[in-house]
Amino acid sequence: MQQFNYPTTIYFGDGAVKACAQSIKKQGAKKVLLVTDATLVNVGIAKQVESELSDTGLDIFLYADVHPNPTEADVEQGAQCYIQHQCDALVGLGGGSPIDTAKVIALAATHPGPLAQYDDAQGGDRLINGSLLPPIYAIPTTAGTGSEVGRSGVIITRKSNSKTVIFHPHLMPRIAVLEPRLTEVLPPTITAATGIDAFVHCLEAYLAPGFHPMADGIALEGMALILKHLPRAVTDGHDLEARGAMQIAASMGATAFQKGLGMIHSLAHPLSSECGLHHGLANALLLPFGTEFLEQSDLNAEQKRRIKRVLQLFPATSESTLADLCRTFVTQLNIQLGLKQQGVSQRQLILLSKMAYLDPCHHTNMIPVTEADLLQVYTQAY
Ligand SMILES: NC(=O)c1ccc[n+]([C@@H]2O[C@H](COP(=O)([O-])OP(=O)(O)OC[C@H]3O[C@@H](n4cnc5c(N)ncnc54)[C@H](O)[C@@H]3O)[C@@H](O)[C@H]2O)c1
Ligand SMILES: [Fe+2]
């Protein structure tokens, strides 16, 4: 028996924020904690969304201290704010960092600490009482993580000092709001990195073992959209058609990865928690080497067919391996490959491999991997 979930309501296009504000009100909330970060305040997006929300008569309280790769301290401060103002709903506005933080604030404001006890990898979801969780709404301003349609938040907890996934079906935002204009001023480097994160979600979901034809279909179309629109969004941030397609593709990636992720995500996570690399950039630096590892492994006919199916999504070139196509795609987005070039030291690779092996994402990799395999891919990517 398997369970497939595709329940998120998505508002897409101009006017989506306003429509969401009306729905929040209709659904009974009065005092909303708007969770975001300093950059979104600086570029004016927080103010703009805040006024669209408050125009409907909602009371909005701003918590704008979320850091990239958010930590337990970010969550605790936000939970204090939520309790102090007696809020009854949350809106996550920003990239995956504020949206994940909003989800976990909903948990921390209604459940006892510390957060590490809710670690999904340790079965922590059993300690979460869904009926206590307040409604969460998500307004993404990057097109990458797809956290807006996901049931988990990723936070660095104090106990593990590593990326910890906190999962519960009620952490799923009630509405995901995709307004292309909110991603217009996202700089090209972050556009590229977050877009590759979405690509790797689709790729790893499609290659994950298991029967899930719905996820497979969504993942394939997601990759096709990204291959076509990500270069356009990087070249011209004001190309709203490309921005919109990337937002949908990012939501598709996260919808698809309920089937599972793979080794690239396990390798990417310690690069963020240990070395501070942006999550999407970490994925981009590993993508050509993770796919190379797969292609050089002993694959069965169905696994080879799946790799070929992905390969056929790329525009026709003389390159014949998925690894080469991915390398070209990443470098054409002006991402410089090489962990070394991004400030990772070779001495760290052994510790990073141990951490990557403990990360659960590779449990659904296309083929099982060992710690030595993970070290080998890091070494190639270095
Ligand atoms: N919940 C999930 O399913 C899931 C999946 C993948 C990743 N994640 C997590 O999401 C986080 C990464 O999220 P992200 O890649 O979206 O990055 P992010 O939220 O950390 O944002 C990256 C940077 O971009 C800036 N930014 C965001 N939107 C902007 C805009 N419109 N204009 C200008 N600047 C803008 C932010 O202020 C920040 O400095 C990581 O913590 C990762 O672990 C979660
Ligand atoms: Fe990711």
Side-chain angles (χ1 to χ4, degrees):
M1 208 288 286
Q2 279 175 283
Q3 181 175 333
F4 304 145
N5 294 291
Y6 289 92
T8 322
T9 301
I10 298 176
Y11 291 177
F12 174 69
D14 285 347
V17 174
K18 280 201 176 80
C20 179
Q22 300 287 356
S23 298
I24 297 175
K25 192 131 190 268
K26 244 189 241 157
Q27 290 172 5
K30 292 189 172 63
K31 295 182 174 186
V32 177
L33 188 71
L34 179 60
V35 180
T36 188
D37 66 27
T39 306
L40 288 157
V41 172
N42 292 339
V43 299
I45 291 179
K47 187 91 220 132
Q48 195 183 326
V49 168
E50 187 179 354
S51 73
E52 286 185 66
L53 294 174
S54 57
D55 278 353
T56 52
L58 293 165
D59 283 337
I60 308 297
F61 300 93
L62 187 68
Y63 171 62
D65 292 333
V66 177
H67 295 94
N69 300 315
T71 63
E72 190 158 356
D74 293 337
V75 171
E76 284 166 349
Q77 272 185 48
Q80 260 176 27
C81 221
Y82 181 92
I83 293 166
Q84 184 193 339
H85 297 294
Q86 299 177 313
C87 294
D88 49 14
L90 297 105
V91 172
L93 169 71
S97 299
I99 294 176
D100 281 3
T101 306
K103 292 177 182 177
V104 185
I105 290 173
L107 172 72
T110 52
H111 290 68
L115 279 184
Q117 66 186 307
Y118 303 105
D119 182 351
D120 185 48
Q122 313 292 331
D125 59 321
R126 281 173 295 141
L127 302 176
I128 303 176
N129 178 350
S131 66
L132 294 179
L133 295 172
I136 302 155
Y137 302 85
I139 310 180
T141 63
T142 63
T145 72
S147 177
E148 64 277 6
V149 295
R151 296 164 291 171
S152 53
V154 187
I155 297 290
I156 300 178
T157 60
R158 245 179 231 113
K159 187 172 171 210
S160 66
N161 196 33
S162 62
K163 290 257 173 187
T164 302
V165 176
I166 295 174
F167 169 92
H168 192 276
H170 290 203
L171 291 179
M172 161 97 76
R174 289 218 185 157
I175 302 172
V177 179
L178 309 183
E179 262 208 61
R181 71 183 164 99
L182 296 180
T183 58
E184 237 181 314
V185 297
L186 188 67
T189 49
I190 309 179
T191 302
T194 47
I196 293 290
D197 185 25
F199 184 82
V200 178
H201 293 158
C202 293
L203 175 72
E204 293 203 297
Y206 182 65
L207 299 183
F211 177 73
H212 205 320
M214 294 166 81
D216 290 343
I218 290 173
L220 284 171
E221 182 62 10
M223 283 185 273
L225 283 171
I226 295 166
L227 289 169
K228 179 167 175 201
H229 295 282
L230 182 54
R232 276 172 56 182
V234 169
T235 309
D236 175 11
H238 300 290
D239 181 340
L240 289 179
E241 190 193 3
R243 290 292 198 184
M246 281 307 301
Q247 283 185 311
I248 290 283
S251 290
M252 290 167 79
T255 307
F257 80 57
Q258 61 176 283
K259 184 184 169 205
L261 284 168
M263 67 191 296
I264 296 176
H265 266 78
S266 282
L267 291 159
H269 286 153
L271 287 174
S272 294
S273 57
E274 281 299 300
C275 314
L277 257 59
H278 175 264
H279 173 72
L281 175 63
N283 274 288
L285 301 177
L286 294 160
L287 172 62
F289 307 96
T291 45
E292 186 172 48
F293 174 85
L294 282 182
E295 286 179 304
Q296 290 175 355
S297 299
D298 194 11
L299 302 178
N300 64 31
E302 171 57 13
Q303 289 164 336
K304 284 185 191 156
R305 185 193 71 79
R306 282 188 177 248
I307 300 251
K308 194 162 174 212
R309 184 81 183 78
V310 176
L311 211 137
Q312 287 164 342
L313 297 170
F314 283 79
T317 65
S318 55
E319 283 149 336
S320 57
T321 69
L322 181 56
D324 283 343
L325 288 164
C326 288
R327 188 190 314 266
T328 305
F329 185 51
V330 169
T331 50
Q332 280 177 350
L333 298 170
N334 298 321
I335 295 174
Q336 192 192 7
L337 288 174
L339 299 180
K340 187 179 178 184
Q341 280 73 6
Q342 304 290 343
V344 178
S345 98
Q346 195 159 17
R347 281 183 295 118
Q348 290 176 291
L349 297 186
I350 290 180
L351 172 68
L352 291 171
S353 326
K354 289 191 190 311
M355 293 177 74
Y357 192 65
L358 290 175
D359 181 281
C361 289
H362 70 79
H363 297 167
T364 46
N365 195 53
M366 181 177 233
I367 51 169
V369 288
T370 63
E371 195 177 308
D373 294 333
L374 297 173
L375 178 60
Q376 183 194 324
V377 177
Y378 272 140
T379 307
Q380 296 296 325
Y382 184 77

